[in-house]
């Protein structure tokens, strides 16, 4: 077990997050209940390289007919992100959010590991209603859909987190 994987396990335990270990790999899987959806999370550690990658898969599968506007949504969303990115598996229609951090050797900050998880869950949850709007648009109306206008709909955003004292 690498030191980074041990730090990741400690982070999950300290946060009280339930997880599953993937046998034979330095991988944790977990499910988080967010505002809009349940977020399936996959955390992979590359111990020798000191890399942690956190990936969430959206709960909505994109049909072939809707992949072009979803690709536009992801491209426009990625343009605004500072960390991480959304991806579309064109063949399966799966939408994923991926964020990676390279740590200095033997300096595995649990706050950074927790932040990677929080960011991944939050970004996936934030995108889900926009993804749903596109996927629920009838095929014949897709030409009328303006992704740029859709992204301005603030009622689809989750509420801001409560202020902590």
């Amino acid at each position: 077990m690498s030191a980074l994987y041990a730090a990741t396990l400690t982070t999950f335990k300290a946060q009280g997050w339930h997880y599953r270990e993937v046998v034979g790999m330095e991988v944790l899987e977990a499910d988080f209940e967010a505002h809009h959806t349940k977020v399936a999370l996959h955390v992979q550690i590359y111990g020798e390289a000191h890399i942690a990658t956190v990936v969430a898969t959206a709960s909505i599968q994109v049909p072939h007919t809707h992949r072009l506007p979803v690709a536009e949504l992801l491209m426009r969303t990625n343009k605004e992100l500072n960390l991480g990115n959304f991806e579309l598996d064109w063949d399966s229609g799966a939408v994923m959010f991926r964020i990676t951090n390279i740590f200095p050797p033997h300096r595995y900050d649990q706050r950074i590991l927790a932040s990677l998880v929080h960011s991944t869950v939050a970004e996936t949850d934030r995108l889900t209603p926009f993804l749903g709007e596109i996927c629920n648009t009838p095929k014949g109306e897709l030409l009328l859909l303006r992704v740029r206008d859709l992204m301005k709909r603030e009622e689809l955003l989750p509420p801001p987190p409560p202020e902590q004292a």
Side-chain angles (χ1 to χ4, degrees):
M1 177 186 305
S2 71
L4 178 53
Y5 186 63
T8 304
L9 287 169
T10 301
T11 300
F12 269 70
K13 290 173 186 171
Q15 294 289 328
W17 296 333
H18 297 281
Y19 61 89
R20 302 170 299 282
E21 290 187 70
V22 175
V23 179
M25 301 178 74
E26 292 194 331
V27 172
L28 299 179
E29 293 180 339
D31 298 307
F32 289 86
E33 289 292 337
H35 181 75
H36 292 292
T37 189
K38 187 177 204 174
V39 178
L41 201 73
H42 178 95
V43 181
Q44 183 147 11
I45 302 303
Y46 302 92
E48 289 183 23
H50 313 287
I51 296 172
T53 298
V54 182
V55 180
T57 303
S59 58
I60 298 172
Q61 203 77 2
V62 182
H64 283 284
T65 53
H66 291 64
R67 296 210 176 136
L68 217 48
V70 166
E72 179 184 352
L73 172 69
L74 300 183
M75 181 268 315
R76 290 182 181 282
T77 301
N78 283 340
K79 185 177 170 184
E80 303 299 321
L81 292 174
N82 291 315
L83 296 171
N85 65 283
F86 282 99
E87 304 169 4
L88 172 62
D89 182 317
W90 197 262
D91 296 325
S92 71
V95 173
M96 296 157 286
F97 180 82
R98 181 183 315 270
I99 191 168
T100 300
N101 194 73
I102 302 171
F103 291 88
H106 312 295
R107 291 181 39 209
Y108 311 124
D109 189 326
Q110 291 183 25
R111 294 171 300 178
I112 294 173
L113 287 163
S115 178
L116 295 172
V117 171
H118 283 294
S119 295
T120 301
V121 171
E123 291 296 346
T124 303
D125 187 52
R126 183 175 66 89
L127 184 80
T128 296
F130 297 96
L131 194 57
E133 287 289 317
I134 292 174
C135 291
N136 290 327
T137 299
K139 180 182 171 185
E141 296 176 20
L142 283 174
L143 288 174
L144 303 174
L145 180 69
R146 306 250 327 139
V147 173
R148 187 180 320 180
D149 293 339
L150 173 64
M151 292 176 71
K152 293 176 184 174
R153 292 186 46 197
E154 292 185 14
E155 82 277 7
L156 296 176
L157 294 172
E163 294 289 326
Q164 293 182 356

